[in-house]
Amino acid sequence: MSKEVPPFFVVLGPDHAGKSTALEYISADRACNVITPDCGRDTSERALISRLRQDIISEVGTALGISYSADFLTALSQAIVVHLRDQVARARDGRPVLVDSYYYKMLAKCRLAGAGDHPMFSWWRTFPRPRHVFYLDIEPGEAWNRAGGGAEIHSLECHDGQVDEASFERYQRDLAKLMRDEISHLPVTVIDQRESSVTRTAQAIMEVIADECR
């Protein structure tokens, strides 16, 4: 596929920072073309990616380092990353394009799983760059509480697959550092989730997009 893509923006942040909620809110008024890994109509394409994401969490995540390697996790993740890139390239309806995490979070998670500097990451980094990144910042303790006091946390959100608050907090701090390092060369707006409702988060994102799309 051609690397020619329309200008696009990315919403990024640690686990349970509120990305999905903000993107659903923005998507509802159709001001932006919101792209997530399994977005779109109920098609076989969407079902495939949804199954793949769920299998990565439920099958690979629970047996990482036992039945499955970090390289295997990276290989499966690549399918989702390429699918996101392809969706961006197809988004040509004239609306601003807003992407959930792009490849940045997936790359950080694969590195934390033990993939290190996998050769695949060099290819991902050649993908088109977003115009701007919105980083939703949240303290790990608050994210834990948002996730039902840990009830909604899974093994790929914690170190060593150990689902407890201490492991979750350490993992989220390491994840945040890797993601912030990965986007350090890009224009970034940080939105503090401690002081922001979904309405204010969406408004902050849309104000920057409107300004940059003039």
Side-chain angles (χ1 to χ4, degrees):
M1 175 172 288
S2 169
K3 293 184 180 179
E4 290 294 324
V5 300
F8 66 99
F9 303 81
V10 170
V11 178
L12 186 64
D15 297 317
H16 304 281
K19 295 184 307 300
S20 296
T21 304
L23 288 168
E24 286 174 8
Y25 186 94
I26 292 170
S27 179
D29 66 10
R30 299 190 55 79
C32 277
N33 190 334
V34 174
I35 291 177
T36 65
D38 58 354
C39 71
R41 302 183 306 276
D42 286 330
T43 62
S44 58
E45 178 185 39
R46 176 177 181 177
L48 171 64
I49 298 300
S50 294
R51 288 197 308 271
L52 178 57
R53 292 181 69 210
Q54 186 55 46
D55 286 347
I56 288 174
I57 293 170
S58 63
E59 302 294 332
V60 181
T62 56
L64 192 61
I66 302 170
S67 301
Y68 304 106
S69 67
D71 285 348
F72 185 78
L73 172 65
T74 302
L76 291 183
S77 299
Q78 160 134 313
I80 298 174
V81 169
V82 173
H83 179 64
L84 271 175
R85 183 207 62 181
D86 292 351
Q87 286 188 92
V88 173
R90 291 196 295 263
R92 299 184 178 277
D93 64 5
R95 292 179 294 163
V97 178
L98 190 57
V99 185
D100 182 358
S101 301
Y102 201 31
Y103 67 80
Y104 304 121
K105 189 172 185 178
M106 201 77 73
L107 189 154
K109 281 184 170 285
C110 290
R111 289 185 65 189
L112 287 174
D117 194 17
H118 195 285
M120 204 71 71
F121 303 154
S122 296
W123 184 46
W124 297 0
R125 289 173 178 133
T126 69
F127 289 3
R129 293 182 179 181
R131 181 177 290 189
H132 202 105
V133 176
F134 301 97
Y135 187 87
L136 308 191
D137 199 17
I138 189 171
E139 283 297 312
E142 183 176 347
W144 175 269
N145 291 334
R146 282 190 179 189
E152 300 169 19
I153 305 298
H154 59 73
S155 55
L156 287 177
E157 297 173 337
C158 302
H159 273 305
D160 304 318
Q162 184 176 342
V163 181
D164 60 46
E165 189 169 4
S167 178
F168 175 79
E169 290 197 8
R170 286 191 299 107
Y171 182 91
Q172 294 305 316
R173 294 191 190 284
D174 292 342
L175 177 67
K177 183 181 185 309
L178 288 179
M179 291 191 297
R180 295 292 290 270
D181 288 348
E182 195 66 35
I183 61 173
S184 61
H185 61 293
L186 296 169
V188 177
T189 293
V190 177
I191 303 174
D192 189 339
Q193 292 302 92
R194 291 173 301 181
E195 304 173 357
S196 187
S197 65
V198 62
T199 305
R200 288 195 294 271
T201 297
Q203 182 178 15
I205 290 170
M206 292 308 301
E207 284 176 354
V208 174
I209 290 177
D211 185 61
E212 295 210 10
C213 290
R214 282 178 187 159

